């Protein structure tokens, strides 16, 4: 997977995790005796799976950024930090 694809996948995962978080909140906050709209256990399992995938993806992106050198001789990580400061 190239870095651009990884960054897009990271963005997609973050959006899906936020949506799942909202759905999970809705499913666990119901009146006593009412049925939740979705099974919280299933949502939580999916959320955990997506979080694990996101963690692995972020580590891969960070590793690539730390080991890739720009034309200036600095790593991508240092270049991003310099850009953020500017």
């Amino acid at each position: 997977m190239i870095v651009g694809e990884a960054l897009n996948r990271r963005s997609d995962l973050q959006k899906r995790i936020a949506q799942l978080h909202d759905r999970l909140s809705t499913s666990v906050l119901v009146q006593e005796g009412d049925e939740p709209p979705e099974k919280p256990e299933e949502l939580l399992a999916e959320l955990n799976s997506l979080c694990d995938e996101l963690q692995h993806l972020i580590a891969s992106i960070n590793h690539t950024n730390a080991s890739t050198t720009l034309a200036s001789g600095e790593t991508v990580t240092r270049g991003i930090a310099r850009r953020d400061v500017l």
Side-chain angles (χ1 to χ4, degrees):
M1 175 182 304
I2 61 174
V3 175
E5 291 172 350
L7 294 172
N8 285 335
R9 180 69 181 149
R10 180 184 68 182
S11 176
D12 291 343
L13 284 170
Q14 289 170 329
K15 289 175 189 172
R16 288 182 59 200
I17 287 169
Q19 291 169 347
L20 268 173
H21 183 268
D22 292 342
R23 289 170 49 201
L24 184 59
S25 294
T26 301
S27 293
V28 296
L29 296 174
V30 295
Q31 291 287 335
E32 188 174 334
D34 289 348
E35 290 293 318
E38 299 180 77
K39 293 183 179 180
E41 300 84 8
E42 292 176 5
L43 292 174
L44 187 58
E46 185 178 355
L47 181 62
N48 287 335
S49 174
L50 291 177
C51 286
D52 288 344
E53 183 180 351
L54 180 61
Q55 180 179 345
H56 175 74
L57 189 59
I58 289 171
S60 295
I61 292 168
N62 289 346
H63 174 73
T64 299
N65 288 346
S67 61
T68 303
T69 305
L70 300 171
S72 64
E74 65 186 355
T75 64
V76 173
T77 299
R78 286 192 179 275
I80 291 171
R82 189 168 41 82
R83 180 205 62 196
D84 289 349
V85 169
L86 294 175

